Amino acid sequence: ETGGVPLRDEDGNIVKWYGVTTDIEDRKRAEEALQLVSNDLQDSKAKLEEAQRIAHVGYWEWDLTSNRVIWSDETYRIYGLRPQEYPIDMAVVRKMIHPEDLESVFRVAEEALRGGLRTDVEHRIIRPSGELRTVHSQGDVKKDASGRTCQMFGTVQDITDRKRAEDKIREQDAELRQIVDLAPQLVTVFGPNRERLYANRILLDYLGISLDEWRQRPDSDEFLHPDDRERVDAHSARALSSGASYELEFRVRKSSGNYRWFLTRFSAVRDDKGQIMRWYVAATDIEDRKR
């Protein structure tokens, strides 16, 4: 870097120039490095904001001293507001939490503040438009130099669509279970290693036991006719090793102590990698046919 100062005579004419040249190589390199860092930070911030928008995950901070809250742009959008629309404080946050969830949300927050614990809570919010959404919020506490809790910070994610999907699945599962319970067959569901998962109401009534009792029975053959057990076990062993579905006729003991013949089909259900996830078993009463 070069600078010059003129030397003038009595008439104001320049007679000499005095110049100074300073080596600023290190400073220029530092400035260039800082510019690169600044550009990287801006790029990272843009990428972070885009990731938050795609995942519907926002960031928040709560200053316990001023009671002021800082939201990321995505947090504003989750709550139905335009980014940085106006300053946020806890009074605004309280108004937007569903009244039925307000007490539990702040009870969790207070417990976290007292114990320095992380928060993890699902609750509903009401947007200014009146739309109801469900969010999952996680937070942690920050302490000052004296060890006093001074701030909470964390993330909030809009999980409304996921919750609706889960509710729909539960509804469909309940409907399917009701259909299976009313089916005329004895229906059971086993895990990949034949661990007991589910039995329909017709089977439980036939055996005279509850679902929990059926699951906890240590002997899988106790309801089979003694003359059929070896044959059933042999077929089951081959099916487990090969994963092939099969049909078998055998007798099952009723709660009264009598045995009836059933035609039973064992069907394997696999995942996309070909691994067996479930065995579905449906048994049809063929006692009259056998007679």
Side-chain angles (χ1 to χ4, degrees), residues 204-265:
L204 297 176
D205 289 345
Y206 182 88
L207 300 178
I209 59 176
S210 68
L211 179 59
D212 286 338
E213 289 174 329
W214 176 78
R215 285 173 174 161
Q216 294 168 8
R217 296 280 176 156
D219 183 5
S220 59
D221 293 342
E222 66 174 302
F223 299 109
L224 300 181
H225 193 286
D227 294 343
D228 299 335
R229 291 179 182 178
E230 184 176 349
R231 180 167 51 89
V232 172
D233 287 344
H235 278 80
S236 297
R238 287 197 297 270
L240 280 175
S241 61
S242 66
S245 300
Y246 64 99
E247 283 187 351
L248 201 60
E249 294 182 3
F250 54 83
R251 288 159 287 186
V252 181
R253 189 181 71 236
K254 196 174 182 180
S255 58
S256 62
N258 297 327
Y259 286 89
R260 295 184 67 85
W261 279 96
F262 286 86
L263 172 62
T264 306
R265 179 166 181 79

Side-chain angles (χ1 to χ4, degrees), residues 109 112-113 115-119 139-143 149 151-153:
L113 291 174
L117 305 174
R118 175 169 293 182
T119 62
D140 212 335
V141 297
K142 182 179 180 181
K143 297 183 178 182
T149 300
Q151 186 186 67
M152 285 194 73
F153 61 94

Side-chain angles (χ1 to χ4, degrees), residues 125-145:
I125 61 172
I126 303 175
R127 289 177 168 177
S129 63
E131 182 184 8
L132 191 67
R133 307 291 292 182
T134 302
V135 299
H136 177 213
S137 183
Q138 292 180 302
D140 212 335
V141 297
K142 182 179 180 181
K143 297 183 178 182
D144 58 21

Side-chain angles (χ1 to χ4, degrees), residues 5-236:
V5 178
L7 177 65
R8 300 176 185 273
D9 59 17
E10 294 178 354
D11 297 326
N13 298 314
I14 297 175
V15 294
K16 285 185 180 180
W17 278 92
Y18 291 92
V20 177
T21 300
T22 305
D23 186 337
I24 60 170
E25 177 68 19
D26 292 340
R27 193 192 79 187
K28 292 298 288 184
R29 289 180 178 176
E31 289 175 352
E32 291 173 358
L34 287 173
Q35 185 61 45
L36 289 174
V37 170
S38 177
N39 292 340
D40 287 344
L41 288 174
Q42 291 177 5
D43 186 51
S44 297
K45 181 180 179 183
K47 290 179 179 178
L48 178 60
E49 290 178 352
E50 180 65 11
Q52 290 182 13
R53 186 187 65 80
I54 293 173
H56 299 297
V57 177
Y59 176 80
W60 55 267
E61 294 180 11
W62 175 18
D63 188 308
L64 301 176
T65 303
S66 65
N67 213 31
R68 186 181 176 188
V69 177
I70 298 175
W71 280 357
S72 68
D73 288 354
E74 185 59 24
T75 304
Y76 273 91
R77 283 189 284 266
I78 288 173
Y79 278 79
L81 302 171
R82 289 190 300 273
Q84 311 305 323
E85 186 170 10
Y86 51 76
I88 301 295
D89 58 24
M90 289 312 299
V92 174
V93 176
R94 283 179 175 272
K95 288 181 180 179
M96 301 188 73
I97 296 177
H98 194 287
E100 294 178 2
D101 298 340
L102 186 62
E103 182 181 350
S104 62
V105 169
F106 279 91
R107 182 174 64 251
V108 171
E110 290 170 2
E111 291 173 354
L113 291 174
R114 285 197 303 268
L117 305 174
R118 175 169 293 182
T119 62
D120 190 324
V121 62
E122 290 184 8
H123 64 88
R124 294 163 292 176
I125 61 172
I126 303 175
R127 289 177 168 177
S129 63
E131 182 184 8
L132 191 67
R133 307 291 292 182
T134 302
V135 299
H136 177 213
S137 183
Q138 292 180 302
D140 212 335
V141 297
K142 182 179 180 181
K143 297 183 178 182
D144 58 21
S146 64
R148 183 175 60 89
T149 300
C150 62
Q151 186 186 67
M152 285 194 73
F153 61 94
T155 60
V156 59
Q157 182 177 21
D158 187 337
I159 60 171
T160 306
D161 294 340
R162 190 193 80 191
K163 294 293 287 186
R164 288 173 178 169
E166 290 174 352
D167 291 343
K168 185 65 176 178
I169 291 172
R170 280 193 292 268
E171 180 182 332
Q172 292 173 342
D173 284 348
E175 183 178 349
L176 178 60
R177 182 163 296 187
Q178 185 177 24
I179 293 172
V180 172
D181 279 343
L182 296 175
Q185 287 87 12
L186 310 185
V187 179
T188 52
V189 182
F190 297 88
N193 296 312
R194 303 299 292 274
E195 55 270 30
R196 301 183 182 193
L197 301 178
Y198 174 73
N200 72 341
R201 177 51 51 191
I202 300 297
L203 173 66
L204 297 176
D205 289 345
Y206 182 88
L207 300 178
I209 59 176
S210 68
L211 179 59
D212 286 338
E213 289 174 329
W214 176 78
R215 285 173 174 161
Q216 294 168 8
R217 296 280 176 156
D219 183 5
S220 59
D221 293 342
E222 66 174 302
F223 299 109
L224 300 181
H225 193 286
D227 294 343
D228 299 335
R229 291 179 182 178
E230 184 176 349
R231 180 167 51 89
V232 172
D233 287 344
H235 278 80
S236 297

